[in-house]
Amino acid sequence: MDFSIAWQKINQMGRDFMALLPNLLFGLVVFVVFIFIARGVQSLVERLVQNRGQSQSLKLLLSRLSYVAALLLGILITVTIVVPSFTPASLISALGVGGVAIGFAFKDIFQNFLAGVLLLVTEPFRIGDQIKYKDFEGTVETIQTRATTIKTYDGRRVVIPNAELFINAVTVNTAYEQRRLQYDIGIGYGDDIGKARQLIIEAMKGVDGVLADPAPEALVVDLAGSSVNIRARWWINPPRRADIMDAQDLVLEAIKNTLTAHGIDLPFPTQQILWHNQTELTDGDRKSQREGWPTGKGDVPQSRAEGRQEKQEQQ
């Protein structure tokens, strides 16, 4: 077998590599230099933005974009050094239809990147805010150009694509300094509503953390099956999750103790089953039928059993 042709090709490849080696080494040095330049540009942009009092999100956006731009410039210069015939125009022509295919393949990545940029610029929420998106709720840890990470209240990390947050509704719990909380308390039908309302308001005013302005309030919201429901509403500051739980714990404890101490009933749902001989004679008579409790000061109608017995005695 004649290996001369193969040896000539291998020899030619070796000579080409040795000719390219100086450019390759020089290009590698230039690329390493541009890595440090990109980091320096990123640090410079961060300091400039921080001195102007810009938000943390915008600082992250500008610093990352400056780093990526400097790094891309270094890559282009490195490729030009290694391959002198390379030009940006040749890169665009080489992409051609392949660039369109790449665009479709990475459509979701580009969409999330653009949504991340818009989130960092418009700032519907910031790092440290507590947000709720669908079934996820927690504190925003980072806003990256691809996704946003939140830490849930039970110590888990959730990664949400930026496009989802940009398109769908997101609740920002810490957007304002104050937040109103509420809870429904049921009292008995025989209790004084005005007295119970006043006791609830006084109990809320005595709790640390409940704001005096706006003032706490108590509103009757429902005449339920077993109770008259009064909605207690109060405001707190700051509106973070831990503060909400602490305030609700103290307010509910104060309301319960206050109502109990003043003899206000806190009924639970009950059902009463009456047999036919236990119902009243007036049942079915819409003019005199009693629908609920209490019985009132007048005479209580006889039961059917008592009415039947009295009728038999008269006969």
Side-chain angles (χ1 to χ4, degrees):
M1 296 179 65
D2 187 7
F3 293 99
S4 59
I5 298 177
W7 174 252
Q8 291 177 1
K9 290 185 177 180
I10 294 174
N11 193 19
Q12 182 64 36
M13 291 174 59
R15 287 196 298 269
D16 293 341
F17 177 76
M18 295 302 295
L20 183 64
L21 185 59
N23 291 343
L24 185 62
L25 293 177
F26 183 63
L28 181 61
V29 172
V30 170
F31 180 71
V32 172
V33 171
F34 263 94
I35 290 178
F36 288 100
I37 292 176
R39 292 179 180 176
V41 172
Q42 183 180 18
S43 300
L44 178 62
V45 171
E46 288 179 354
R47 288 195 296 269
L48 291 176
V49 175
Q50 187 173 4
N51 292 334
R52 294 185 179 183
Q54 300 293 339
S55 66
Q56 182 71 13
S57 300
L58 184 59
K59 172 184 172 182
L60 288 174
L61 172 63
L62 296 178
S63 64
R64 289 171 180 171
L65 288 180
S66 62
Y67 178 82
V68 172
L71 202 60
L72 287 177
L73 179 61
I75 292 174
L76 290 176
I77 293 177
T78 301
V79 174
T80 303
I81 293 173
V82 176
V83 185
S85 61
F86 173 81
T87 60
S90 62
L91 174 63
I92 296 175
S93 61
L95 288 176
V97 179
V100 178
I102 293 174
F104 278 105
F106 292 92
K107 180 186 67 173
D108 292 338
I109 296 178
F110 295 148
Q111 183 180 9
N112 287 321
F113 174 79
L114 180 59
V117 172
L118 294 176
L119 287 176
L120 290 170
V121 173
T122 58
E123 289 190 321
F125 52 84
R126 302 181 179 182
I127 295 176
D129 278 336
Q130 293 183 344
I131 65 173
K132 181 179 181 181
Y133 170 72
K134 293 184 178 179
D135 295 332
F136 307 111
E137 185 173 358
T139 304
V140 178
E141 287 187 317
T142 59
I143 305 176
Q144 302 174 355
T145 52
R146 187 193 69 84
T148 296
T149 61
I150 65 173
K151 182 180 180 180
T152 61
Y153 302 132
D154 56 356
R156 294 180 293 171
R157 174 176 294 173
V158 179
V159 181
I160 306 174
N162 288 328
E164 295 286 331
L165 295 176
F166 188 76
I167 296 174
N168 299 307
V170 178
T171 302
V172 185
N173 294 329
T174 54
Y176 303 102
E177 295 181 355
Q178 299 177 352
R179 181 174 175 180
R180 191 188 70 192
L181 306 179
Q182 64 183 34
Y183 195 88
D184 291 350
I185 299 102
I187 65 171
Y189 271 93
D191 294 316
D192 187 342
I193 296 178
K195 179 181 178 182
R197 191 203 309 260
Q198 186 62 33
L199 290 173
I200 292 174
I201 294 176
E202 292 177 358
M204 289 189 290
K205 289 182 177 179
V207 174
D208 293 336
V210 175
L211 300 180
D213 185 22
E217 54 187 353
L219 308 172
V220 178
V221 293
D222 190 18
L223 300 177
S226 302
S227 63
V228 177
N229 292 340
I230 299 178
R231 179 164 298 168
R233 306 199 300 185
W234 67 96
W235 292 80
I236 63 169
N237 179 14
R240 305 190 70 82
R241 177 70 174 184
D243 303 297
I244 291 173
M245 299 303 296
D246 291 341
Q248 181 168 297
D249 173 66
L250 295 175
V251 166
L252 295 185
E253 180 181 359
I255 290 176
K256 191 270 179 185
N257 292 338
T258 301
L259 293 180
T260 303
H262 289 80
I264 301 297
D265 186 23
L266 298 175
F268 49 84
T270 58
Q271 290 183 339
Q272 185 178 11
I273 300 176
L274 299 176
W275 304 102
H276 288 292
N277 61 347
Q278 293 177 306
T279 57
E280 300 169 353
L281 291 174
T282 56
D283 288 351
D285 184 358
R286 303 304 300 174
K287 295 182 180 180
S288 58
Q289 179 177 348
R290 296 185 302 115
E291 295 290 347
W293 191 263
T295 58
K297 298 181 180 179
D299 295 334
V300 179
Q302 293 178 326
S303 66
R304 293 188 183 275
E306 293 175 343
R308 191 181 303 112
Q309 183 179 359
E310 182 178 350
K311 186 177 181 180
Q312 292 177 353
E313 291 177 354
Q314 291 176 354
Q315 292 177 352

